[in-house]
Amino acid sequence: MAYQTFRQEYLQVPPVTRAYTTACVLTTAAVQLELITPFQLYFNPELIFKHFQIWRLITNYLFFGPVGFNFLFNMIFLYRYCRMLEEGSFRGRTADFVFMFLFGGLLMTLFGLFVNLVFLGQAFTIMLVYVWSRRNPYVRMNFFGLLIFQAPFLPWVLMGFSLLLGNSIIVDLLGIAVGHIYFFLEDVFPNQPGGGRLLRTPSVLKAIFDTQEEDPNYNPLPEERPGGFAWGEGQRLGG
């Protein structure tokens, strides 16, 4: 019975969010079971381009460290904001969401060539949070019950939290930068005088991902509760 309930809930998660979070969890489990090591996963341009270990371009986005507070914190934010983007502004536009993943991952990888980062998954999570926060500017957030602010400040609050924990903020800054570039090109520049849409989802992605009809009985996560936990809970202003 519990298995059937879990399976039903799991299959209700939208496909891109389900695939990415599952890959992250399975990668971490494989490391915990010592089936693989982080040294086989991390981002290393020399190993990628000289020794053709191409898988590192993907696996460095799948490992968030050993199971612990940092891993759970990242998984919660990754799952919540990735799912809310897919169910919100990307509802019925799976190909566009996949294209955002590819664009953000490519840009982050290019930036990664110039900064000393070996895993980019946390930066990718911040990118998703940034895009969601800019598309939901009137949502009021409650962070650990200590801070109340509007959604666009969330990435910066998370960066401050990382700083308090003694972590490098380069990861957060990279995620914010890539998220801002995508948001500007997709949401801001096309609406400017003389602007236009520079990001266009390739037709091959649309043919692959946008062929299924939308389920009329599908219930997305309520966006008026964007955090779902004390450190990310929120509500719409005036609501």
Side-chain angles (χ1 to χ4, degrees):
M1 185 66 179
Y3 169 76
Q4 292 294 334
T5 302
F6 173 79
R7 182 175 182 273
Q8 183 178 3
E9 290 295 325
Y10 178 75
L11 292 177
Q12 282 188 349
V13 178
V16 178
T17 302
R18 183 170 67 238
Y20 186 37
T21 53
T22 299
C24 292
V25 171
L26 291 179
T27 301
T28 300
V31 173
Q32 289 292 116
L33 295 172
E34 299 184 351
L35 299 177
I36 56 177
T37 72
F39 295 104
Q40 297 171 292
L41 307 174
Y42 75 99
F43 181 74
N44 185 314
E46 182 176 354
L47 293 177
I48 292 171
F49 299 112
K50 291 186 178 180
H51 297 274
F52 306 105
Q53 297 183 7
I54 306 300
W55 66 84
R56 294 178 184 272
L57 291 171
I58 298 175
T59 56
N60 82 91
Y61 288 98
L62 303 180
F63 184 64
F64 289 80
V67 175
F69 175 78
N70 190 61
F71 170 77
L72 294 176
F73 188 85
N74 277 287
M75 283 297 98
I76 289 170
F77 270 84
L78 171 62
Y79 171 76
R80 293 292 298 184
Y81 291 95
C82 186
R83 181 171 181 176
M84 284 191 295
L85 273 176
E86 191 169 2
E87 292 176 335
S89 58
F90 287 98
R91 180 97 183 257
R93 299 168 52 221
T94 302
D96 293 336
F97 195 44
V98 171
F99 181 65
M100 188 193 81
F101 265 59
L102 296 176
F103 175 81
L106 175 62
L107 200 57
M108 213 166 284
T109 298
L110 292 176
F111 287 153
L113 297 174
F114 303 99
V115 294
N116 188 26
L117 294 175
V118 292
F119 290 103
L120 298 173
Q122 184 177 333
F124 195 85
T125 299
I126 295 295
M127 180 197 76
L128 296 174
V129 171
Y130 184 91
V131 174
W132 178 88
S133 68
R134 292 301 300 267
R135 289 184 171 179
N136 295 271
Y138 302 112
V139 175
R140 187 169 56 188
M141 312 298 295
N142 185 334
F143 191 79
F144 281 119
L146 300 175
L147 296 174
I148 297 176
F149 51 89
Q150 288 178 241
F153 291 100
L154 179 58
W156 303 100
V157 171
L158 292 178
M159 185 179 71
F161 185 67
S162 293
L163 190 61
L164 288 176
L165 292 178
N167 298 327
S168 172
I169 62 173
I170 298 298
V171 174
D172 301 82
L173 288 174
L174 177 59
I176 289 172
V178 174
H180 181 74
I181 291 172
Y182 177 83
F183 176 76
F184 178 81
L185 294 177
E186 181 70 12
D187 293 43
V188 178
F189 186 68
N191 299 316
Q192 299 296 312
R197 186 168 297 280
L198 300 179
L199 298 181
R200 297 185 181 276
T201 303
S203 57
V204 63
L205 292 181
K206 290 184 176 293
I208 295 173
F209 294 103
D210 286 350
T211 56
Q212 296 181 350
E213 294 184 0
E214 186 175 327
D215 183 359
N217 298 318
Y218 186 71
N219 294 318
L221 288 179
E223 232 176 288
E224 64 270 15
R225 289 179 56 80
F229 298 87
W231 54 79
E233 191 173 347
Q235 64 184 42
R236 291 193 179 277
L237 293 176

